[in-house]
Amino acid sequence: MPHMNRDQRNAAWQAAHQWRARATRTQPNGMMGSLKLLFTWLAFGVLMIVGVVLGLFFLLVGWAMMPFVRHKMKKRMEQMRAQQAQDIGGNHSESYSGSRHQDVLEGQYEIKSETEKKADDGVR
């Protein structure tokens, strides 16, 4: 049986034997050991139950808040669309509301009313 000696000299074989010996030493002995094991399992079970309950609670709170978040996002999108529409079409409405000079990318321009156009044509 030289094959057996070679396995016993293997590091993994020795580690497995050490784990087995450690497991037999740490098994609960008597009433105190079994009570300790029982309380350990009870504490683990209670922590698992508390974790599941908290997880379900936060899941339900998240689902309940979804309509509020959706409403807030819709309002924000409406504000952004209104701002964009104002940026696109706002120059024409402002020019007629009394602001004569505006800076634009192409340069300066001035919008004249019909009476100013006729007065300028008559001067030339």
Side-chain angles (χ1 to χ4, degrees), residues 32-80:
M32 284 304 289
S34 58
L35 279 176
K36 191 175 179 183
L37 187 64
L38 177 71
F39 284 129
T40 302
W41 276 103
L42 283 176
F44 178 72
V46 167
L47 285 175
M48 288 295 287
I49 291 171
V50 168
V52 167
V53 168
L54 282 174
L56 287 174
F57 172 74
F58 285 121
L59 179 72
L60 290 175
V61 167
W63 281 346
M65 291 187 69
M66 287 297 266
F68 299 114
V69 172
R70 184 172 178 249
H71 177 70
K72 189 175 181 179
M73 288 178 67
K74 279 178 73 173
K75 283 181 73 176
R76 188 177 296 161
M77 282 299 294
E78 288 174 5
Q79 287 176 349
M80 287 174 58

Short mmCIF file of all heavy atoms in Angstrom, two decimals, residues 32-80:
data_model
loop_
_atom_site.label_atom_id
_atom_site.label_comp_id
_atom_site.label_asym_id
_atom_site.label_seq_id
_atom_site.Cartn_x
_atom_site.Cartn_y
_atom_site.Cartn_z
N MET A 32 -24.96 21.68 28.18
CA MET A 32 -24.51 23.04 27.86
C MET A 32 -24.18 23.18 26.38
O MET A 32 -24.51 24.20 25.77
CB MET A 32 -23.30 23.42 28.71
CG MET A 32 -23.63 23.75 30.15
SD MET A 32 -24.84 25.07 30.31
CE MET A 32 -23.88 26.45 29.80
N GLY A 33 -23.56 22.19 25.82
CA GLY A 33 -23.21 22.25 24.41
C GLY A 33 -24.43 22.27 23.52
O GLY A 33 -24.51 23.03 22.54
N SER A 34 -25.43 21.46 23.85
CA SER A 34 -26.64 21.42 23.03
C SER A 34 -27.46 22.70 23.20
O SER A 34 -28.07 23.18 22.24
CB SER A 34 -27.47 20.18 23.35
OG SER A 34 -27.81 20.16 24.72
N LEU A 35 -27.48 23.26 24.41
CA LEU A 35 -28.18 24.55 24.60
C LEU A 35 -27.50 25.67 23.81
O LEU A 35 -28.16 26.51 23.22
CB LEU A 35 -28.22 24.91 26.08
CG LEU A 35 -29.30 24.23 26.91
CD1 LEU A 35 -29.17 24.61 28.37
CD2 LEU A 35 -30.68 24.60 26.40
N LYS A 36 -26.18 25.65 23.82
CA LYS A 36 -25.42 26.65 23.08
C LYS A 36 -25.71 26.54 21.59
O LYS A 36 -25.94 27.55 20.90
CB LYS A 36 -23.93 26.44 23.35
CG LYS A 36 -23.04 27.53 22.87
CD LYS A 36 -21.61 27.23 23.31
CE LYS A 36 -20.65 28.27 22.85
NZ LYS A 36 -19.28 27.94 23.23
N LEU A 37 -25.76 25.32 21.08
CA LEU A 37 -26.08 25.09 19.66
C LEU A 37 -27.51 25.53 19.36
O LEU A 37 -27.77 26.17 18.33
CB LEU A 37 -25.88 23.61 19.33
CG LEU A 37 -26.02 23.21 17.87
CD1 LEU A 37 -24.93 23.89 17.04
CD2 LEU A 37 -25.93 21.71 17.73
N LEU A 38 -28.45 25.23 20.25
CA LEU A 38 -29.84 25.62 20.05
C LEU A 38 -29.98 27.14 20.01
O LEU A 38 -30.65 27.68 19.11
CB LEU A 38 -30.71 25.04 21.18
CG LEU A 38 -32.19 25.44 21.13
CD1 LEU A 38 -32.88 24.75 19.97
CD2 LEU A 38 -32.86 25.13 22.44
N PHE A 39 -29.35 27.83 20.96
CA PHE A 39 -29.45 29.30 20.96
C PHE A 39 -28.75 29.92 19.75
O PHE A 39 -29.21 30.93 19.22
CB PHE A 39 -28.88 29.87 22.26
CG PHE A 39 -29.79 29.69 23.43
CD1 PHE A 39 -29.32 29.13 24.62
CD2 PHE A 39 -31.12 30.08 23.37
CE1 PHE A 39 -30.17 28.96 25.71
CE2 PHE A 39 -31.97 29.92 24.45
CZ PHE A 39 -31.50 29.35 25.62
N THR A 40 -27.70 29.31 19.29
CA THR A 40 -27.04 29.81 18.09
C THR A 40 -27.97 29.71 16.89
O THR A 40 -28.11 30.67 16.11
CB THR A 40 -25.74 29.02 17.83
OG1 THR A 40 -24.90 29.13 18.96
CG2 THR A 40 -25.03 29.52 16.60
N TRP A 41 -28.62 28.57 16.73
CA TRP A 41 -29.54 28.40 15.62
C TRP A 41 -30.76 29.31 15.76
O TRP A 41 -31.25 29.85 14.77
CB TRP A 41 -29.98 26.94 15.49
CG TRP A 41 -28.99 26.13 14.73
CD1 TRP A 41 -28.09 25.26 15.24
CD2 TRP A 41 -28.78 26.15 13.32
NE1 TRP A 41 -27.32 24.72 14.23
CE2 TRP A 41 -27.73 25.26 13.03
CE3 TRP A 41 -29.37 26.84 12.27
CZ2 TRP A 41 -27.27 25.03 11.75
CZ3 TRP A 41 -28.92 26.61 10.98
CH2 TRP A 41 -27.88 25.73 10.73
N LEU A 42 -31.25 29.50 16.98
CA LEU A 42 -32.38 30.41 17.18
C LEU A 42 -32.00 31.85 16.83
O LEU A 42 -32.78 32.56 16.19
CB LEU A 42 -32.88 30.33 18.63
CG LEU A 42 -33.72 29.10 18.98
CD1 LEU A 42 -34.05 29.11 20.47
CD2 LEU A 42 -34.99 29.09 18.16
N ALA A 43 -30.82 32.27 17.25
CA ALA A 43 -30.37 33.64 16.92
C ALA A 43 -30.22 33.80 15.42
O ALA A 43 -30.63 34.83 14.84
CB ALA A 43 -29.05 33.94 17.63
N PHE A 44 -29.65 32.79 14.76
CA PHE A 44 -29.51 32.84 13.30
C PHE A 44 -30.88 32.92 12.63
O PHE A 44 -31.09 33.72 11.71
CB PHE A 44 -28.74 31.61 12.82
CG PHE A 44 -28.58 31.54 11.34
CD1 PHE A 44 -27.72 32.39 10.67
CD2 PHE A 44 -29.30 30.60 10.61
CE1 PHE A 44 -27.59 32.32 9.31
CE2 PHE A 44 -29.16 30.53 9.24
CZ PHE A 44 -28.31 31.38 8.58
N GLY A 45 -31.83 32.12 13.10
CA GLY A 45 -33.18 32.13 12.53
C GLY A 45 -33.87 33.46 12.73
O GLY A 45 -34.53 33.98 11.83
N VAL A 46 -33.72 34.04 13.92
CA VAL A 46 -34.35 35.34 14.20
C VAL A 46 -33.75 36.42 13.30
O VAL A 46 -34.47 37.26 12.75
CB VAL A 46 -34.21 35.70 15.70
CG1 VAL A 46 -34.55 37.15 15.95
CG2 VAL A 46 -35.10 34.80 16.54
N LEU A 47 -32.43 36.39 13.16
CA LEU A 47 -31.80 37.38 12.28
C LEU A 47 -32.25 37.21 10.84
O LEU A 47 -32.46 38.21 10.12
CB LEU A 47 -30.28 37.28 12.37
CG LEU A 47 -29.66 37.84 13.65
CD1 LEU A 47 -28.16 37.57 13.68
CD2 LEU A 47 -29.91 39.33 13.73
N MET A 48 -32.42 35.99 10.39
CA MET A 48 -32.91 35.77 9.03
C MET A 48 -34.33 36.29 8.86
O MET A 48 -34.65 36.93 7.85
CB MET A 48 -32.85 34.27 8.69
CG MET A 48 -31.47 33.73 8.48
SD MET A 48 -30.66 34.45 7.05
CE MET A 48 -31.53 33.62 5.75
N ILE A 49 -35.18 36.05 9.85
CA ILE A 49 -36.56 36.53 9.77
C ILE A 49 -36.61 38.05 9.77
O ILE A 49 -37.33 38.68 8.99
CB ILE A 49 -37.40 35.93 10.92
CG1 ILE A 49 -37.60 34.43 10.69
CG2 ILE A 49 -38.75 36.63 11.05
CD1 ILE A 49 -38.22 33.70 11.85
N VAL A 50 -35.82 38.68 10.65
CA VAL A 50 -35.77 40.15 10.70
C VAL A 50 -35.27 40.71 9.36
O VAL A 50 -35.82 41.69 8.84
CB VAL A 50 -34.89 40.62 11.88
CG1 VAL A 50 -34.57 42.10 11.78
CG2 VAL A 50 -35.57 40.32 13.19
N GLY A 51 -34.27 40.07 8.79
CA GLY A 51 -33.76 40.53 7.50
C GLY A 51 -34.78 40.42 6.39
O GLY A 51 -34.93 41.34 5.57
N VAL A 52 -35.52 39.34 6.37
CA VAL A 52 -36.56 39.17 5.34
C VAL A 52 -37.67 40.19 5.53
O VAL A 52 -38.16 40.79 4.57
CB VAL A 52 -37.11 37.72 5.37
CG1 VAL A 52 -38.38 37.59 4.55
CG2 VAL A 52 -36.05 36.75 4.87
N VAL A 53 -38.09 40.41 6.78
CA VAL A 53 -39.16 41.38 7.05
C VAL A 53 -38.71 42.79 6.64
O VAL A 53 -39.47 43.53 6.01
CB VAL A 53 -39.59 41.33 8.53
CG1 VAL A 53 -40.47 42.51 8.90
CG2 VAL A 53 -40.31 40.02 8.81
N LEU A 54 -37.48 43.15 7.01
CA LEU A 54 -36.99 44.49 6.61
C LEU A 54 -36.88 44.61 5.10
O LEU A 54 -37.23 45.65 4.52
CB LEU A 54 -35.62 44.75 7.25
CG LEU A 54 -35.64 45.16 8.72
CD1 LEU A 54 -34.22 45.26 9.25
CD2 LEU A 54 -36.36 46.49 8.89
N GLY A 55 -36.43 43.57 4.44
CA GLY A 55 -36.34 43.60 2.99
C GLY A 55 -37.69 43.77 2.34
O GLY A 55 -37.85 44.58 1.42
N LEU A 56 -38.69 43.04 2.81
CA LEU A 56 -40.05 43.19 2.27
C LEU A 56 -40.62 44.57 2.56
O LEU A 56 -41.30 45.16 1.72
CB LEU A 56 -40.97 42.11 2.84
CG LEU A 56 -40.74 40.70 2.31
CD1 LEU A 56 -41.60 39.70 3.07
CD2 LEU A 56 -41.03 40.64 0.82
N PHE A 57 -40.34 45.09 3.75
CA PHE A 57 -40.84 46.43 4.10
C PHE A 57 -40.27 47.48 3.14
O PHE A 57 -41.01 48.30 2.60
CB PHE A 57 -40.45 46.76 5.54
CG PHE A 57 -40.74 48.18 5.93
CD1 PHE A 57 -42.04 48.59 6.16
CD2 PHE A 57 -39.72 49.10 6.06
CE1 PHE A 57 -42.32 49.90 6.52
CE2 PHE A 57 -39.98 50.41 6.41
CZ PHE A 57 -41.29 50.82 6.63
N PHE A 58 -38.96 47.44 2.92
CA PHE A 58 -38.36 48.44 2.02
C PHE A 58 -38.81 48.23 0.58
O PHE A 58 -38.94 49.21 -0.18
CB PHE A 58 -36.84 48.42 2.13
CG PHE A 58 -36.33 49.05 3.40
CD1 PHE A 58 -35.56 48.34 4.29
CD2 PHE A 58 -36.63 50.36 3.70
CE1 PHE A 58 -35.11 48.92 5.46
CE2 PHE A 58 -36.19 50.97 4.85
CZ PHE A 58 -35.42 50.24 5.74
N LEU A 59 -39.06 47.00 0.19
CA LEU A 59 -39.60 46.75 -1.15
C LEU A 59 -40.98 47.37 -1.30
O LEU A 59 -41.26 48.06 -2.31
CB LEU A 59 -39.66 45.24 -1.40
CG LEU A 59 -40.22 44.82 -2.75
CD1 LEU A 59 -39.22 45.14 -3.85
CD2 LEU A 59 -40.54 43.35 -2.75
N LEU A 60 -41.84 47.20 -0.30
CA LEU A 60 -43.18 47.77 -0.37
C LEU A 60 -43.13 49.30 -0.32
O LEU A 60 -43.91 49.97 -1.02
CB LEU A 60 -44.04 47.23 0.77
CG LEU A 60 -44.42 45.75 0.65
CD1 LEU A 60 -45.18 45.30 1.90
CD2 LEU A 60 -45.27 45.52 -0.58
N VAL A 61 -42.25 49.86 0.49
CA VAL A 61 -42.11 51.32 0.54
C VAL A 61 -41.65 51.84 -0.82
O VAL A 61 -42.14 52.86 -1.32
CB VAL A 61 -41.14 51.74 1.66
CG1 VAL A 61 -40.73 53.19 1.54
CG2 VAL A 61 -41.77 51.50 3.02
N GLY A 62 -40.72 51.14 -1.44
CA GLY A 62 -40.26 51.56 -2.77
C GLY A 62 -41.37 51.51 -3.79
O GLY A 62 -41.52 52.42 -4.61
N TRP A 63 -42.15 50.43 -3.77
CA TRP A 63 -43.27 50.35 -4.71
C TRP A 63 -44.30 51.42 -4.43
O TRP A 63 -44.90 51.97 -5.35
CB TRP A 63 -43.93 48.98 -4.61
CG TRP A 63 -43.21 47.91 -5.35
CD1 TRP A 63 -42.22 48.05 -6.26
CD2 TRP A 63 -43.43 46.50 -5.23
NE1 TRP A 63 -41.80 46.84 -6.71
CE2 TRP A 63 -42.53 45.86 -6.09
CE3 TRP A 63 -44.29 45.73 -4.47
CZ2 TRP A 63 -42.49 44.48 -6.22
CZ3 TRP A 63 -44.24 44.36 -4.60
CH2 TRP A 63 -43.36 43.75 -5.47
N ALA A 64 -44.55 51.75 -3.17
CA ALA A 64 -45.54 52.77 -2.83
C ALA A 64 -45.09 54.16 -3.27
O ALA A 64 -45.91 55.01 -3.59
CB ALA A 64 -45.82 52.75 -1.33
N MET A 65 -43.79 54.39 -3.29
CA MET A 65 -43.28 55.71 -3.65
C MET A 65 -43.14 55.91 -5.16
O MET A 65 -42.93 57.03 -5.62
CB MET A 65 -41.94 55.96 -2.98
CG MET A 65 -42.06 56.12 -1.48
SD MET A 65 -40.53 56.60 -0.73
CE MET A 65 -40.34 58.25 -1.36
N MET A 66 -43.26 54.86 -5.93
CA MET A 66 -43.09 54.97 -7.38
C MET A 66 -44.04 55.99 -8.02
O MET A 66 -43.61 56.78 -8.86
CB MET A 66 -43.23 53.60 -8.05
CG MET A 66 -42.04 52.71 -7.81
SD MET A 66 -40.55 53.38 -8.51
CE MET A 66 -40.57 52.56 -10.06
N PRO A 67 -45.34 56.01 -7.68
CA PRO A 67 -46.21 57.03 -8.31
C PRO A 67 -45.78 58.46 -7.99
O PRO A 67 -45.87 59.34 -8.84
CB PRO A 67 -47.59 56.74 -7.72
CG PRO A 67 -47.54 55.33 -7.28
CD PRO A 67 -46.12 55.08 -6.88
N PHE A 68 -45.29 58.69 -6.76
CA PHE A 68 -44.84 60.04 -6.41
C PHE A 68 -43.60 60.43 -7.20
O PHE A 68 -43.49 61.56 -7.68
CB PHE A 68 -44.56 60.12 -4.90
CG PHE A 68 -45.76 59.83 -4.06
CD1 PHE A 68 -45.81 58.71 -3.25
CD2 PHE A 68 -46.86 60.68 -4.05
CE1 PHE A 68 -46.92 58.42 -2.48
CE2 PHE A 68 -47.98 60.42 -3.28
CZ PHE A 68 -48.01 59.28 -2.50
N VAL A 69 -42.70 59.51 -7.34
CA VAL A 69 -41.48 59.79 -8.11
C VAL A 69 -41.83 60.02 -9.57
O VAL A 69 -41.30 60.92 -10.22
CB VAL A 69 -40.47 58.63 -7.95
CG1 VAL A 69 -39.30 58.79 -8.88
CG2 VAL A 69 -40.01 58.53 -6.51
N ARG A 70 -42.76 59.22 -10.09
CA ARG A 70 -43.18 59.38 -11.49
C ARG A 70 -43.83 60.75 -11.70
O ARG A 70 -43.55 61.43 -12.69
CB ARG A 70 -44.16 58.26 -11.84
CG ARG A 70 -44.59 58.26 -13.27
CD ARG A 70 -45.40 57.01 -13.58
NE ARG A 70 -45.83 57.04 -14.95
CZ ARG A 70 -47.09 57.19 -15.32
NH1 ARG A 70 -48.04 57.30 -14.41
NH2 ARG A 70 -47.43 57.21 -16.59
N HIS A 71 -44.68 61.16 -10.75
CA HIS A 71 -45.33 62.47 -10.85
C HIS A 71 -44.30 63.59 -10.82
O HIS A 71 -44.37 64.54 -11.61
CB HIS A 71 -46.34 62.63 -9.71
CG HIS A 71 -47.01 63.96 -9.68
ND1 HIS A 71 -47.94 64.34 -10.62
CD2 HIS A 71 -46.88 65.01 -8.83
CE1 HIS A 71 -48.34 65.57 -10.35
NE2 HIS A 71 -47.72 65.99 -9.26
N LYS A 72 -43.32 63.47 -9.93
CA LYS A 72 -42.28 64.49 -9.83
C LYS A 72 -41.46 64.55 -11.12
O LYS A 72 -41.13 65.64 -11.61
CB LYS A 72 -41.38 64.17 -8.64
CG LYS A 72 -40.40 65.25 -8.30
CD LYS A 72 -39.64 64.90 -7.04
CE LYS A 72 -38.66 65.99 -6.67
NZ LYS A 72 -37.94 65.69 -5.45
N MET A 73 -41.16 63.40 -11.69
CA MET A 73 -40.39 63.39 -12.94
C MET A 73 -41.20 63.97 -14.09
O MET A 73 -40.66 64.67 -14.95
CB MET A 73 -39.93 61.96 -13.25
CG MET A 73 -38.84 61.47 -12.33
SD MET A 73 -38.34 59.78 -12.67
CE MET A 73 -37.59 59.97 -14.26
N LYS A 74 -42.51 63.69 -14.10
CA LYS A 74 -43.35 64.27 -15.16
C LYS A 74 -43.38 65.80 -15.05
O LYS A 74 -43.31 66.50 -16.06
CB LYS A 74 -44.77 63.71 -15.06
CG LYS A 74 -44.92 62.34 -15.70
CD LYS A 74 -46.32 61.80 -15.55
CE LYS A 74 -47.28 62.50 -16.45
NZ LYS A 74 -48.63 61.89 -16.45
N LYS A 75 -43.49 66.31 -13.82
CA LYS A 75 -43.50 67.76 -13.64
C LYS A 75 -42.18 68.37 -14.10
O LYS A 75 -42.14 69.42 -14.75
CB LYS A 75 -43.76 68.11 -12.17
CG LYS A 75 -45.21 67.96 -11.77
CD LYS A 75 -45.43 68.33 -10.34
CE LYS A 75 -45.34 69.83 -10.17
NZ LYS A 75 -45.65 70.27 -8.80
N ARG A 76 -41.07 67.70 -13.78
CA ARG A 76 -39.76 68.20 -14.18
C ARG A 76 -39.62 68.19 -15.70
O ARG A 76 -39.08 69.11 -16.28
CB ARG A 76 -38.67 67.36 -13.53
CG ARG A 76 -37.29 67.94 -13.74
CD ARG A 76 -36.22 67.16 -13.04
NE ARG A 76 -36.41 67.23 -11.60
CZ ARG A 76 -35.87 66.38 -10.74
NH1 ARG A 76 -35.12 65.39 -11.18
NH2 ARG A 76 -36.07 66.51 -9.45
N MET A 77 -40.13 67.13 -16.35
CA MET A 77 -40.07 67.07 -17.81
C MET A 77 -40.91 68.17 -18.44
O MET A 77 -40.52 68.77 -19.44
CB MET A 77 -40.54 65.69 -18.30
CG MET A 77 -39.51 64.60 -18.14
SD MET A 77 -38.01 64.92 -19.08
CE MET A 77 -38.63 64.82 -20.74
N GLU A 78 -42.09 68.44 -17.85
CA GLU A 78 -42.92 69.52 -18.38
C GLU A 78 -42.22 70.86 -18.25
O GLU A 78 -42.28 71.70 -19.15
CB GLU A 78 -44.26 69.55 -17.64
CG GLU A 78 -45.18 68.42 -17.99
CD GLU A 78 -46.44 68.39 -17.14
OE1 GLU A 78 -46.63 69.33 -16.33
OE2 GLU A 78 -47.21 67.43 -17.28
N GLN A 79 -41.53 71.08 -17.12
CA GLN A 79 -40.79 72.33 -16.96
C GLN A 79 -39.66 72.44 -17.97
O GLN A 79 -39.43 73.50 -18.55
CB GLN A 79 -40.21 72.41 -15.55
CG GLN A 79 -41.24 72.68 -14.49
CD GLN A 79 -40.63 72.65 -13.09
OE1 GLN A 79 -39.49 72.23 -12.92
NE2 GLN A 79 -41.41 73.07 -12.10
N MET A 80 -38.97 71.32 -18.21
CA MET A 80 -37.89 71.36 -19.19
C MET A 80 -38.42 71.61 -20.59
O MET A 80 -37.82 72.37 -21.36
CB MET A 80 -37.11 70.03 -19.15
CG MET A 80 -36.25 69.87 -17.92
SD MET A 80 -35.49 68.24 -17.79
CE MET A 80 -34.57 68.14 -19.30
#
